[in-house]
């Protein structure tokens, strides 16, 4: 996984933060309308948490395996909200679509693979915490 590319691309997308998060949720709800009911009508606070959480994960990706507590707690919170393993691929696809949209020509197959790998690691940590809490 190319951590430098991951962090650099997130930094670029982070510059349009709220717009990118709005795009993510629009994509998620359009492609998977069945999950819309899991969210409050007003997504303002959720957008802020999503942006902050993903930013924290990407910023600390190098130490994630040594200290997975933030991601594990995130997994436990998602589980309490009704998120199940089948929801993660939908969110991942929307995240990748968002990154591709905002990075444009900088979105390469290699960068897509880096993000896919990173997302997979995060999901594994979230799901393992969910299973441990069950």
């Amino acid at each position: 996984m190319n951590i430098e590319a991951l962090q650099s691309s997130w930094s670029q997308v982070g510059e349009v933060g709220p717009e990118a998060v709005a795009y993510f949720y629009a994509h998620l709800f359009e492609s998977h309308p069945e999950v819309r009911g899991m969210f409050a009508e007003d997504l303002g606070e959720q957008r802020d948490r999503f942006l902050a959480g993903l930013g924290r994960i990407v910023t600390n990706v190098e130490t994630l395996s040594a200290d997975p507590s933030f991601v594990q707690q995130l997994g436990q919170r998602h589980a309490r909200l009704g998120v199940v393993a089948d929801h993660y691929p939908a969110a991942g696809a929307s995240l990748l679509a968002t990154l591709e949209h905002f990075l444009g020509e900088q979105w390469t197959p290699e960068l897509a693979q880096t993000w896919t790998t990173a997302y997979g690691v995060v999901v594994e940590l979230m799901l393992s915490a969910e299973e441990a809490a069950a």
Side-chain angles (χ1 to χ4, degrees), residues 53-73:
L54 187 53
R56 181 173 173 180
I57 291 167
V58 172
T59 299
N60 297 299
V61 70
E62 291 174 294
T63 59
L64 199 56
S65 61
D67 181 14
S69 60
F70 175 73
V71 175
Q72 290 171 332
Q73 290 169 4

Side-chain angles (χ1 to χ4, degrees), residues 31-51:
S31 59
H32 295 278
E34 68 277 7
V35 301
R36 181 61 182 100
M38 298 176 76
F39 295 86
E41 192 63 36
D42 179 4
L43 289 172
E45 189 176 319
Q46 176 62 31
R47 286 182 182 133
D48 293 343
R49 283 194 309 262
F50 178 90
L51 191 59

Side-chain angles (χ1 to χ4, degrees), residues 72-87:
Q72 290 171 332
Q73 290 169 4
L74 196 59
Q76 291 169 350
R77 282 194 302 271
H78 278 73
R80 285 192 300 270
L81 295 170
V83 175
V84 296
D86 289 345
H87 292 131

Side-chain angles (χ1 to χ4, degrees), residues 10 13 17-36 39 43 50 54 86-103 107 112 115-116 119 123:
W10 177 250
V13 173
E19 185 182 348
V21 178
Y23 185 95
F24 167 83
Y25 282 110
H27 186 278
L28 179 64
F29 298 152
E30 182 177 315
S31 59
H32 295 278
E34 68 277 7
V35 301
R36 181 61 182 100
F39 295 86
L43 289 172
F50 178 90
L54 187 53
D86 289 345
H87 292 131
Y88 287 100
S94 292
L95 176 61
L96 295 177
T98 300
L99 293 164
E100 180 177 15
H101 176 78
F102 286 96
L103 292 171
W107 185 250
W115 273 96
T116 299
Y119 183 76
V123 168

